Amino acid sequence: MNPPDPRWYKDAVLYEIPVKSFYDSNGDGIGDLPGLVQKLDYLKDLGVDCLWLLPFYQSPLKDDGYDISDYYRIHPDLGTLEDFDRLIEEAHRRELRVIADLVLNHVSDQHPWFQEARADPASPRRPWFVWSDTDRKYAGTRIIFLDSERSNWTWDPVAKQYFWHRFYSHQPDLNYDHPPVREAMKEVIRFWLRRGLDGFRCDAVPYLFEAEGTSSENLPATHAYLKELRRMVDSEFPNRVLLAEANQWPSDVKAYFGEEDEFHMAFNFPLMPRIFIALAKESALPIRELVAQTLPIPASCAWGVFLRNHDELTLEMVTDEERDFMYHEYAKHPKMRLNLGIRRRLAPLVDDDRRVMELLHGLLLSLPGVPILYYGDELGMGDNIYLGDRAGVRTPMQWSPDRNAGFSRADPEQLYAPVIINPNFHFESRNVESLRRMPPSFLNWLIRQLRVRRRYSKVFGRGTIEFIDTPHPKVLIYRRSFEGTELLCLFNLARAPSAVELDLSGFRGYTPVEMVSEAPFPPIGELPYFLTLAERGFYWFRLDPPAASRPDDGPR
Ligand code: BGC
């Protein structure tokens, strides 16, 4: 690896991978770590910088590995510790970083900690969990998995008490009021960082502590403990990154950056649904408003910007009206809904509209923060709403038109989930091999766009953003600036072409250069600058200064 810049993550593009879904190296129908190693060259070629692996630990897999029964072991379906070490080595050799999920809030009820705790009230493990004789404590706390859970308390017949859980009732919450729990999780962190992991995506962090009379979310004690983890990571493992999964309102998520002493990164959860609202309403406003609310953040911190991930498209942090609108626009079939969200992949969500796919990625790759891609979305992969829970967006990666989409040599019925055969999204045409062979494919388009972004990663990752007003409510325009490089990004959210007149008087004499083709547009003069955009079209321009004032060392 190059000498590490401690802020490397700010210039990165992340790629999210469930190991079981990516590539099966041993023909058992389940993706594995050696399989992922075989596909690192693909990821390098795609143009991402850092992989985020979903939980690969020992687990009964009732929540796809977010129910951990041993933090120190790899699930045997996925490989061994040696395979993990090899993955890190091979990824680093290619200058790819790797972060992994860290589930702090809860464990599986199969974890020996819980088994010991429930078996004996006098066990030293008993206080590792949150017990109660009634199910009425912490009544102000919402239920997250609304479709399956009726309470955050479940009666345990062995313990003869209720235990507390924010997610499934097989996922008892750890009791962070108990110091040994806090220490135990630090040891888990040390174990994996010592093996060379570059950081963690920290799952469900708002819920670590609970308190009567509150929502039991974002509590001061939770922030204090997270800061403790950050201190430890910074002092013992420099140049690693901690990414917060805190699905909260803007001001509450921002708090997870602390004063540069908590998380380096946090997912921009509030922005994500607003992108889809803006698209359906053909209005720039929802994105503008949200970006304004989520900035500024401390200099060393970064938003994780994403369109889709392995969960349902969450609608917890929108108004009731916005949620109804989203369901109406994007989840017409009841099976598309789950809890407070929509369980669909990106391409099906936007009716596989190529222009919209490009527009959304144009936004994703240019908004302030670190873009996070979800495996398969680069192919416009389909989903399967008839699989349970969130399994429909976690089907096997599609590598080729061969059996099982080239994902596995197993019998098709042995796959952990069926491949996508819906004619509109069939793997026979929607796979890496076929799409790479077709120059105009979405995959090739995205690879080109990622290469352009890489040349300007500092501007996109570290630069300022300024919105440019236009009387046209359907066109979103912003300027990204960093150390003398000026980029202008325009997005036409309308279903019809749009013409805009821009006040670019501050850039008189500059030439807008379209960044993918390097095609120069007419220089900016005295009059307002006039541009037309195709329906759902977008442009990224670099504003080149007049020759006389051109800096000679810009990233051009
Ligand atoms: C993960 C989910 C998981 C839940 C419980 C999350 O927020 O993203 O996939 O089910 O935590 O661990």
Side-chain angles (χ1 to χ4, degrees):
M1 297 282 268
N2 281 330
D5 170 354
R7 294 189 184 179
W8 59 267
Y9 51 88
K10 285 184 73 88
D11 312 321
V13 174
L14 265 62
Y15 185 93
E16 176 186 357
I17 306 178
V19 176
K20 75 162 185 188
S21 309
F22 210 55
Y23 186 63
D24 170 17
S25 72
N26 60 359
D28 65 356
I30 305 167
D32 44 45
L33 291 167
L36 174 54
V37 170
Q38 289 183 41
K39 296 299 183 183
L40 288 175
D41 287 334
Y42 165 73
L43 295 166
K44 185 72 191 167
D45 187 42
L46 179 61
V48 300
D49 305 280
C50 177
L51 317 180
W52 152 31
L53 308 185
L54 266 57
F56 44 67
Y57 315 97
Q58 183 68 262
S59 161
L61 302 182
K62 288 192 194 163
D63 182 13
D64 244 343
Y66 282 94
D67 48 329
I68 297 172
S69 54
D70 188 340
Y71 285 91
Y72 294 100
R73 292 173 67 174
I74 306 246
H75 193 288
D77 287 349
L78 306 183
T80 62
L81 275 174
E82 289 67 43
D83 295 332
F84 174 85
D85 293 343
R86 176 134 185 278
L87 169 69
I88 297 290
E89 193 187 315
E90 290 292 326
H92 285 177
R93 208 156 62 75
R94 292 167 175 81
E95 303 213 324
L96 289 168
R97 288 185 162 88
V98 185
I99 66 170
D101 245 287
L102 173 71
V103 186
L104 293 163
N105 181 67
H106 48 267
V107 296
S108 158
D109 61 4
Q110 304 303 305
H111 198 297
W113 296 343
F114 186 72
Q115 291 297 327
E116 290 164 30
R118 74 198 297 213
D120 177 4
S123 159
R125 294 283 187 217
R126 188 74 161 201
W128 282 48
F129 296 88
V130 182
W131 301 99
S132 166
D133 292 328
T134 83
D135 59 357
R136 288 187 295 278
K137 278 173 83 178
Y138 312 137
T141 310
R142 72 186 165 115
I143 296 166
I144 297 169
F145 284 172
L146 278 170
D147 288 359
S148 44
E149 300 302 325
R150 302 183 59 187
S151 166
N152 288 318
W153 291 107
T154 288
W155 176 257
D156 183 51
V158 180
K160 300 206 167 33
Q161 277 194 306
Y162 292 94
F163 67 89
W164 179 251
H165 56 88
R166 290 306 304 276
F167 294 95
Y168 285 122
S169 58
H170 56 73
Q171 287 166 315
D173 275 32
L174 287 162
N175 177 16
Y176 277 87
D177 273 323
H178 188 54
V181 169
R182 302 205 287 267
E183 290 313 307
M185 295 316 294
K186 285 186 189 165
E187 277 313 308
V188 170
I189 292 173
R190 287 191 179 103
F191 178 82
W192 293 102
L193 294 186
R194 265 187 217 122
R195 296 194 96 95
L197 199 67
D198 294 293
F200 290 105
R201 176 264 192 188
C202 302
D203 184 62
V205 289
Y207 319 122
L208 302 187
F209 286 78
E210 35 288 317
E212 208 53 76
T214 73
S215 66
S216 298
E217 300 192 4
N218 316 316
L219 296 183
T222 296
H223 283 290
Y225 176 64
L226 293 168
K227 286 183 163 74
E228 224 175 286
L229 295 185
R230 170 68 184 265
R231 270 199 301 282
M232 177 199 102
V233 170
D234 278 356
S235 67
E236 299 176 29
F237 305 95
N239 304 326
R240 314 298 170 98
V241 70
L242 297 174
L243 161 60
E245 190 218 14
N247 185 2
Q248 300 288 325
W249 293 99
S251 59
D252 292 326
V253 207
K254 268 166 94 170
Y256 285 88
F257 295 125
E259 285 166 20
E260 312 198 279
D261 58 353
E262 211 169 311
F263 283 92
H264 305 81
M265 288 176 56
F267 291 104
N268 199 331
F269 270 104
L271 174 62
M272 183 273 298
R274 266 93 193 175
I275 294 177
F276 290 96
I277 292 172
L279 188 69
K281 288 199 167 154
E282 300 179 84
S283 165
L285 201 62
I287 300 176
R288 261 187 90 144
E289 278 182 349
L290 217 289
V291 171
Q293 281 174 49
T294 49
L295 291 173
I297 56 170
S300 65
C301 298
W303 287 115
V305 187
F306 64 104
L307 298 168
R308 289 295 298 112
N309 63 18
H310 64 291
D311 286 327
E312 68 274 26
L313 190 169
T314 162
L315 298 173
E316 286 159 284
M317 298 301 146
V318 297
T319 62
D320 291 349
E321 203 187 332
E322 288 171 324
R323 188 177 309 117
D324 288 346
F325 178 77
M326 284 290 290
Y327 280 145
H328 178 262
E329 291 293 320
Y330 294 105
K332 298 227 184 321
H333 192 295
K335 281 212 174 287
M336 294 173 178
R337 303 180 186 185
L338 179 71
N339 300 317
L340 288 185
I342 301 175
R343 45 191 212 109
R344 301 183 75 190
R345 262 192 185 270
L346 188 62
L349 264 178
V350 299
D351 298 327
D352 201 28
D353 184 326
R354 172 70 184 264
R355 279 188 192 276
V356 172
M357 291 284 283
E358 292 184 11
L359 177 81
L360 290 175
H361 284 81
L363 278 165
L364 174 74
L365 301 183
S366 67
L367 281 165
V370 174
I372 305 176
L373 302 169
Y374 183 50
Y375 89 99
D377 281 351
E378 74 271 31
L379 313 177
M381 219 168 115
D383 55 27
N384 183 347
I385 58 169
Y386 299 97
L387 297 177
D389 201 343
R390 290 147 292 174
V393 301
R394 303 175 183 179
T395 60
M397 176 69 174
Q398 298 165 185
W399 294 104
S400 75
D402 303 335
R403 172 167 50 118
N404 304 324
F407 161 77
S408 168
R409 294 182 314 280
D411 286 336
E413 54 277 22
Q414 201 188 344
L415 297 189
Y416 76 86
V419 290
I420 301 293
I421 52 169
N422 179 296
N424 286 324
F425 295 94
H426 203 290
F427 73 81
E428 282 182 359
S429 54
R430 217 156 280 211
N431 62 73
V432 172
E433 187 187 309
S434 305
L435 294 176
R436 278 304 262 151
R437 284 187 192 172
M438 289 273 271
S441 70
F442 178 70
L443 176 61
N444 287 330
W445 176 87
L446 183 61
I447 289 174
R448 279 194 299 278
Q449 208 67 25
L450 283 163
R451 295 204 169 130
V452 176
R453 190 191 189 276
R454 174 174 298 278
R455 292 214 298 279
Y456 300 90
S457 59
K458 290 239 166 17
V459 192
F460 288 126
R462 306 186 188 211
T464 55
I465 183 167
E466 191 194 311
F467 288 99
I468 295 189
D469 291 319
T470 148
H472 204 312
K474 300 185 179 184
V475 181
L476 176 73
I477 308 174
Y478 48 79
R479 202 150 65 79
R480 304 295 320 272
S481 319
F482 184 73
E483 294 184 350
T485 304
E486 296 285 349
L487 308 180
L488 181 70
C489 306
L490 300 95
F491 303 89
N492 180 19
L493 295 153
R495 295 184 180 89
S498 295
V500 285
E501 284 192 355
L502 301 177
D503 176 7
L504 295 177
S505 46
F507 290 95
R508 197 162 299 151
Y510 280 60
T511 302
V513 176
E514 196 281 320
M515 288 164 60
V516 180
S517 62
E518 286 287 320
F521 272 47
I524 299 163
E526 301 286 325
L527 299 173
Y529 199 76
F530 184 74
L531 274 171
T532 53
L533 290 121
E535 62 270 27
R536 308 288 206 187
F538 84 95
Y539 282 127
W540 289 355
F541 288 114
R542 188 181 63 237
L543 299 182
D544 281 359
S549 58
R550 198 164 281 172
D552 20 78
D553 55 355
R556 307 176 47 238

